[in-house]
Amino acid sequence: MHIKLRSGLLAAMLLCFAFVAQAQQKKDITLEDIYRKGTFRAQSVYGVNWMKDGQYYSSTVPDEQNKVYDIVKYDVTTGKPVSTIIEGENLKPEGSSTPIQFDDYTFSSDEQKVLFSTDTEQIYRRSSKAEFYIYDIASKKLTKLSNGGKQLYATFSPDAKRVAFARDNNMFVTDLSNMKETQITTDGKFNSIINGYADWVYEEEFSFAQGFHWSPDGKKIAFYTFDETNVPEFNMQMWGELYPQDYKFKYPKPGEANSKVKVSVYDVASAKTTKMDTGNEADIYIPRIKWTNNPNLLSIQKMNRLQNTLEILHANATTGKSDVVLKETDKAYIDVTDDLTYLKDGKHFIHSSEVKGFNHLYLYNMSGKLVRQITNGNWEVSSFVGYDEKNDRLYYMSTEVSPLERHLYSISSKGKKKQRLTEKAGTHNVNMSTDYKYYLDYYSAANVPTTVSLHTAKDGKLIKVLEDNQKLKNTLAQYDIAKQEFFTMNTADGTKLNGWMIKPTNFDPKKKYPVLMFVYGGPGSQTVTNSWGGANYLWHQVLADKGMIVVSVDNRGTGARGAAFKKVTYANLGKYEIEDQIEAAKWLGNQPYVDKDRIGIWGHSYGGYMTLLGLTKSNGVFAAGIAVAPVTNWRYYDTIYTERFLKTPQENAAGYDDNSPLFFADKLQGDLLLIHGTGDDNVHFQNAVAMQDALISANKQFESFYYPNRNHGVGGGITSLHRFTMMTDFLERKLINKTEKANQ
């Protein structure tokens, strides 16, 4: 009897241990999990529109029964739905029994009408065209905006009486009282004259596509005209048909002709168009226009071609006459932001500048006279959120806690009563209500997916968590996840660099591991931030599980650490950046747990360029590298980006050539995998072709792969899974298993 009890107890204990072992056994992340199954897809809060009564916001909600989306009104204070503003099943065009499937929506200022976009067709990174519909909430009537073809950037006038849009390089306006469509411009022509939206290079480098803005009273429209007649044309071939199709578009390369740009104002009542005076210089940029709170005064930002002089002009919308109210110069370059804000008092504006070494906010009167510097310190205002004039509170995002983090602050216009509103260490992005009473906080940190929460703006108090991604967190808990850890290192000249590291979960400090360095490194960028890393973070986890350490270091030239740190690379792109990456690799090689003979590097775009520099300029420090969509010679890239940092080739030939991997192909050491999409409208496939030709001429062996018709992201469909499978295989062959094969 005694023996039987002990046997039963032993069996129970063994069963218990089996359950514990099973519970503790973690799954390995697979590439299919990341790039096909969506196992780690994070949720967020999309489609939020703050309503004019700051007590409410609207959002899209799926109606599973009718397979449509409803627009639902939420109470900000509770986060709970109040009513359904629009039933998706009611969005049926006249004569149709099927509701439209909308991609986005916008309320008119009186919130009586809604503008829906459908069947959206992407053009470039920020541009698209769509069929737009107007929905009248009271009558529940849905009307197509235009029958003339897809429209671009349809926008309500502030008085809710009209909608302006662009199409086929021209501008149009529709009167909503009778749906009469009026064509504002007639000279628009493909690859020649563009009215109302940006040319390719403005869209890519000045970060806007819509090129028109309504005046505050809804009576005028300010719009851009780009004359790209003399801009050289780039030709890509699109593959798949019996005969490849040519795709031609205007793309200005360094030193070549840019579009001639002008700004005009159209008066709706008189149908008169007036050109704004921007001076006699023809070779200029106009990176921003916006209306002041005076409906007859337009603000125009103008830059010289080298982008080291910025002027803010105030133009009379009726006469076109303008005055320069503020002029700023820099020995290197000036970054364009969206921070310029005109106060409702009509007497002041707020402008951000790096003039004192760090980006800060300044208050000026309308004549451009400085009233005061509002924020100050050895940290950056990363973005200006807005100004609550009623309560005299400016809201801005800042790096004051750390260059690795972003936090929301408020301060008075006198630079007093500064208050930090976000608490958790990490990266916060906010969506502020129009009345400055509430904000949505999109928060994440290293190893922590995004949480979306609702807060009161005056004190940052939490009202409700709207999305905690608990499902994703529970999923992650089932997998073998290695922590991303932060570190700092010093270069030979004493410069401190920030980095992060992911080690295998079974890390043994007595072993020596291969290392892969992930790099971007371009001006003002960052890869080292305390934030959720998304798909790259998860792929790096796959590599860590295979026994590799993954590291990223932000070199000189990157952002959030002041102008001196960022602009040291001016006129010499690539030099200091790759020096720092090489130093970081050597520093890693001196760590007792790193195999210095198995250090690799990879990056995309500017990171691909850095990878090629690493393999051609490090004298063998890097054993292998993967360059995805790299620039190989800055002469092949566009005017605005390249000349901002390098001047023109005519002025600075050495700056272009001294750090072009094309000219150092014979110095290649280590294994290279070069990847590019043939349909890349940004960093052209030409870059990869030239690099391959140089390597062949130097009799250097390498691996390469091109993706037909894929753009700069080299994604879409199953492309990412295919690409990262190939990249993983390359790293296993060339770094992870290299020692094992050598010892066999």
Side-chain angles (χ1 to χ4, degrees):
M1 185 71 175
H2 181 62
I3 294 174
K4 289 182 180 178
L5 282 173
R6 291 188 62 178
S7 299
L9 181 60
L10 179 61
M13 289 175 64
L14 289 172
L15 186 61
C16 180
F17 286 142
F19 276 122
V20 171
Q22 186 177 7
Q24 290 178 340
Q25 187 174 2
K26 300 276 190 170
K27 293 188 281 187
D28 294 331
I29 296 175
T30 68
L31 297 177
E32 286 77 11
D33 284 326
I34 305 170
Y35 301 109
R36 175 179 276 179
K37 298 178 182 177
T39 303
F40 306 104
R41 187 175 293 120
Q43 300 299 313
S44 190
V45 177
Y46 302 108
V48 170
N49 277 281
W50 294 102
M51 307 195 73
K52 63 179 182 178
D53 182 341
Q55 186 76 20
Y56 305 100
Y57 67 88
S58 69
S59 186
T60 54
V61 176
D63 181 341
E64 303 293 347
Q65 182 177 348
N66 295 296
K67 297 181 180 179
V68 293
Y69 279 87
D70 299 334
I71 297 180
V72 177
K73 184 177 183 178
Y74 288 84
D75 188 314
V76 172
T77 59
T78 64
K80 294 181 179 179
V82 175
S83 62
T84 298
I85 303 173
I86 300 174
E87 296 277 1
E89 61 191 86
N90 291 335
L91 297 176
K92 298 173 184 175
E94 191 171 342
S96 173
S97 60
T98 306
I100 61 170
Q101 299 291 327
F102 62 90
D103 305 311
D104 200 4
Y105 71 98
T106 309
F107 281 97
S108 60
S109 58
D110 60 6
E111 296 180 351
Q112 297 305 302
K113 296 181 177 66
V114 181
L115 189 61
F116 288 101
S117 61
T118 69
D119 195 20
T120 301
E121 182 181 333
Q122 200 70 26
I123 303 173
Y124 297 119
R125 189 192 298 263
R126 297 174 178 87
S127 53
S128 61
K129 55 184 177 180
E131 293 288 1
F132 285 85
Y133 289 82
I134 305 291
Y135 182 76
D136 186 283
I137 293 176
S139 66
K140 297 185 178 180
K141 183 180 179 181
L142 185 72
T143 306
K144 195 174 185 180
L145 176 62
S146 175
N147 291 311
K150 287 186 176 182
Q151 308 92 52
L152 292 85
Y153 321 119
T155 307
F156 280 117
S157 61
D159 59 8
K161 294 181 179 179
R162 300 173 180 85
V163 170
F165 63 89
R167 181 179 56 226
D168 297 332
N169 294 39
N170 281 310
M171 283 286 302
F172 301 80
V173 63
T174 297
D175 188 325
L176 297 181
S177 65
N178 55 19
M179 296 305 293
K180 180 184 177 182
E181 183 177 300
T182 301
Q183 186 167 340
I184 295 174
T185 66
T186 57
D187 60 343
K189 185 179 179 182
F190 177 70
N191 272 5
S192 180
I193 304 295
I194 305 172
N195 293 293
Y197 52 100
D199 67 356
W200 187 94
V201 72
Y202 265 64
E203 174 182 339
E204 177 65 26
E205 306 302 356
F206 285 142
S207 304
F208 73 88
Q210 178 174 330
F212 67 87
H213 303 278
W214 283 100
S215 63
D217 59 3
K219 295 180 179 179
K220 298 181 178 71
I221 305 171
F223 65 93
Y224 281 89
T225 298
F226 293 89
D227 181 350
E228 55 179 5
T229 304
N230 296 324
V231 177
E233 196 171 63
F234 192 81
N235 184 28
M236 297 191 305
Q237 285 192 308
M238 307 304 289
W239 306 89
E241 302 297 328
L242 183 62
Y243 290 90
Q245 300 298 306
D246 284 342
Y247 182 82
K248 298 179 180 181
F249 63 106
K250 299 286 188 165
Y251 186 106
K253 300 201 173 197
E256 301 293 325
N258 275 318
S259 292
K260 295 176 182 177
V261 60
K262 68 177 180 180
V263 175
S264 304
V265 173
Y266 174 80
D267 184 279
V268 175
S270 66
K272 180 183 177 182
T273 299
T274 304
K275 179 180 177 293
M276 300 295 102
D277 180 12
T278 56
N280 297 321
E281 309 97 321
D283 203 5
I284 61 169
Y285 294 117
I286 302 178
R288 294 289 185 273
I289 62 173
K290 73 181 301 179
W291 288 94
T292 68
N293 287 302
N294 177 344
N296 200 48
L297 190 65
L298 182 69
S299 172
I300 301 171
Q301 295 186 46
K302 169 186 167 183
M303 301 186 86
N304 63 333
R305 178 146 179 172
L306 290 184
Q307 300 167 73
N308 55 18
T309 300
L310 171 69
E311 295 178 338
I312 298 177
L313 285 62
H314 287 171
N316 183 303
T318 302
T319 66
K321 184 180 182 300
S322 67
D323 297 301
V324 177
V325 297
L326 184 64
K327 183 176 182 178
E328 182 179 334
T329 60
D330 191 282
K331 62 182 180 180
Y333 58 87
I334 296 171
D335 282 321
V336 174
T337 73
D338 291 310
D339 296 341
L340 179 63
T341 301
Y342 288 87
L343 275 54
K344 293 178 182 177
D345 67 7
K347 298 177 181 179
H348 300 91
F349 65 86
I350 293 168
H351 175 59
S352 67
S353 173
E354 293 180 316
V355 67
K356 292 188 177 180
F358 291 86
N359 194 54
H360 282 292
L361 300 174
Y362 297 81
L363 181 68
Y364 295 87
N365 67 22
M366 289 296 284
S367 298
K369 182 180 179 181
L370 178 65
V371 176
R372 72 179 62 90
Q373 181 174 348
I374 301 172
T375 61
N376 190 22
N378 293 337
W379 44 268
E380 303 263 78
V381 171
S382 55
S383 65
F384 179 45
V385 177
Y387 179 42
D388 176 6
E389 292 189 50
K390 181 179 177 181
N391 296 297
D392 187 29
R393 301 303 293 170
L394 287 85
Y395 293 92
Y396 63 92
M397 306 304 297
S398 159
T399 65
E400 185 170 358
V401 171
S402 165
L404 277 61
E405 301 191 5
R406 298 294 185 273
H407 288 276
L408 175 65
Y409 287 79
S410 69
I411 196 171
S412 76
S413 61
K414 292 182 172 58
K416 308 291 184 183
K417 302 177 182 177
K418 183 170 68 175
Q419 184 180 6
R420 176 178 159 188
L421 299 170
T422 48
E423 297 177 357
K424 291 182 179 178
T427 299
H428 300 261
N429 291 294
V430 303
N431 180 355
M432 184 73 69
S433 67
T434 53
D435 61 1
Y436 297 101
K437 289 182 179 178
Y438 306 96
Y439 65 86
L440 293 177
D441 180 12
Y442 294 76
Y443 162 77
S444 76
N447 314 299
V448 181
T450 300
T451 294
V452 185
S453 53
L454 183 64
H455 301 254
T456 50
K458 65 178 181 179
D459 52 15
K461 183 180 178 182
L462 174 67
I463 297 173
K464 185 178 180 181
V465 174
L466 303 179
E467 175 59 65
D468 61 6
N469 267 306
Q470 191 57 51
K471 180 180 177 182
L472 173 56
K473 292 173 185 175
N474 292 340
T475 300
L476 288 167
Q478 301 170 31
Y479 286 79
D480 201 17
I481 303 289
K483 271 200 166 187
Q484 180 178 323
E485 303 169 344
F486 294 98
F487 67 91
T488 60
M489 57 155 287
N490 290 325
T491 63
D493 66 0
T495 303
K496 185 177 80 170
L497 301 179
N498 296 317
W500 56 250
M501 182 181 296
I502 296 174
K503 299 174 183 174
T505 52
N506 61 352
F507 176 74
D508 180 352
K510 295 179 181 178
K511 288 180 61 177
K512 286 189 177 290
Y513 293 86
V515 169
L516 179 67
M517 294 180 65
F518 168 54
V519 63
Y520 185 78
S525 67
Q526 281 182 281
T527 55
V528 184
T529 58
N530 189 4
S531 61
W532 175 246
N536 276 345
Y537 167 83
L538 294 164
W539 180 56
H540 293 152
Q541 294 289 337
V542 171
L543 299 179
D545 184 60
K546 293 179 181 292
M548 173 171 270
I549 295 174
V550 185
V551 174
S552 191
V553 174
D554 275 339
N555 47 252
R556 281 172 291 176
T558 55
R561 294 183 59 179
F565 187 86
K566 179 175 66 174
K567 295 179 180 179
V568 69
T569 63
Y570 180 64
N572 223 344
L573 280 189
K575 172 180 168 57
Y576 297 105
E577 300 97 305
I578 199 58
E579 285 180 3
D580 287 353
Q581 292 297 327
I582 292 170
E583 279 214 52
K586 290 179 177 178
W587 179 86
L588 287 163
N590 288 329
Q591 306 309 305
Y593 48 83
V594 170
D595 183 346
K596 66 181 179 61
D597 295 323
R598 289 191 293 161
I599 297 178
I601 184 171
W602 93 276
H604 193 140
S605 193
Y606 201 102
Y609 162 68
M610 291 286 286
T611 296
L612 291 175
L613 284 183
L615 292 177
T616 57
K617 287 208 159 200
S618 73
N619 195 27
V621 168
F622 295 105
I626 303 174
V628 184
V631 172
T632 61
N633 188 328
W634 287 109
R635 295 172 186 268
Y636 295 151
Y637 201 49
D638 70 57
T639 50
I640 294 179
Y641 183 93
T642 310
E643 294 174 8
R644 180 188 305 156
F645 307 121
L646 279 178
K647 302 188 238 185
T648 65
Q650 294 86 342
E651 295 171 284
N652 183 27
Y656 282 77
D657 300 339
D658 288 354
N659 289 287
S660 166
L662 283 186
F663 303 122
F664 301 92
D666 62 328
K667 301 291 193 298
L668 179 78
Q669 294 188 52
D671 297 301
L672 167 65
L673 173 59
L674 177 58
I675 299 171
H676 218 116
T678 68
D680 192 336
D681 62 282
N682 185 1
V683 180
H684 303 145
F685 184 54
Q686 173 187 19
N687 285 271
V689 171
M691 189 70 211
Q692 293 193 26
D693 195 38
L695 289 167
I696 293 166
S697 297
N699 195 28
K700 292 291 184 178
Q701 295 297 315
F702 61 98
E703 297 179 30
S704 69
F705 198 92
Y706 62 86
Y707 281 91
N709 304 335
R710 278 22 172 230
N711 63 16
H712 191 54
V714 199
I718 203 169
T719 303
S720 292
L721 175 60
H722 185 278
R723 176 160 68 91
F724 281 92
T725 299
M726 175 173 55
M727 290 165 62
T728 304
D729 172 71
F730 176 83
L731 293 171
E732 286 184 302
R733 288 186 288 112
K734 302 301 184 180
L735 288 178
I736 297 173
N737 300 325
K738 185 177 179 181
T739 300
E740 294 178 14
K741 290 180 180 179
N743 291 335
Q744 286 178 355

